[in-house]
């Protein structure tokens, strides 16, 4: 059974949206190379206060494939630098 993940990532801790987007794009490219990756969609939106947020939806063949991406060294470096340690993250199948 495939698993979908939805992340809501506000732009915080970056000098610019372009710098933030560079990290997002790098993580999407990394995900595409991972075993079990199925798809990824990005949406740029505004929150209730008018601040830019990115929504990232990814689909994986298995929970283990998705977990491998979450624990990949490159992903962990980017997430370690992200100031929100608990971004809004929803998995669309039972975890």
């Amino acid at each position: 059974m495939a698993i979908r993940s939805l992340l809501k990532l506000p732009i915080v801790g970056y000098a610019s949206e372009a710098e933030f987007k560079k990290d997002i794009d790098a993580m999407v490219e990394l995900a595409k190379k991972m075993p079990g990756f199925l798809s990824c969609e990005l949406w740029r939106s505004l929150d209730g206060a008018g601040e830019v947020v990115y929504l990232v939806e990814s689909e994986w063949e298995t929970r283990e494939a998705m977990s491998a991406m979450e624990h990949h060294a490159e992903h962990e470096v980017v997430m370690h630098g992200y100031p929100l340690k608990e971004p809004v993250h929803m998995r669309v199948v039972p975890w």
Side-chain angles (χ1 to χ4, degrees):
M1 169 186 281
I3 183 169
R4 288 185 183 227
S5 170
L6 181 62
L7 289 171
K8 179 181 175 186
L9 300 169
I11 298 175
V12 292
Y14 285 84
S16 67
E17 183 176 348
E19 189 179 308
F20 177 85
K21 186 75 167 57
K22 181 180 170 187
D23 273 352
I24 291 276
D25 290 343
M27 293 302 96
V28 170
E29 290 307 310
L30 175 63
K32 288 178 180 178
K33 298 173 187 171
M34 299 291 294
F37 172 81
L38 296 174
S39 67
C40 183
E41 296 286 336
L42 296 175
W43 294 279
R44 182 182 185 275
S45 188
L46 300 175
D47 67 10
E51 299 293 324
V52 174
V53 297
Y54 276 82
L55 303 173
V56 182
E57 179 184 21
S58 61
E59 185 174 16
W60 300 84
E61 289 177 355
T62 64
R63 179 175 59 88
E64 292 78 17
M66 184 178 157
S67 183
M69 173 61 187
E70 289 176 331
H71 298 288
H72 189 283
E74 290 178 50
H75 184 265
E76 287 186 341
V77 167
V78 169
M79 291 308 295
H80 180 72
Y82 191 68
L84 294 180
K85 296 306 175 198
E86 293 295 327
V88 176
H89 191 182
M90 181 177 79
R91 293 179 176 94
V92 185
V93 298
W95 189 250

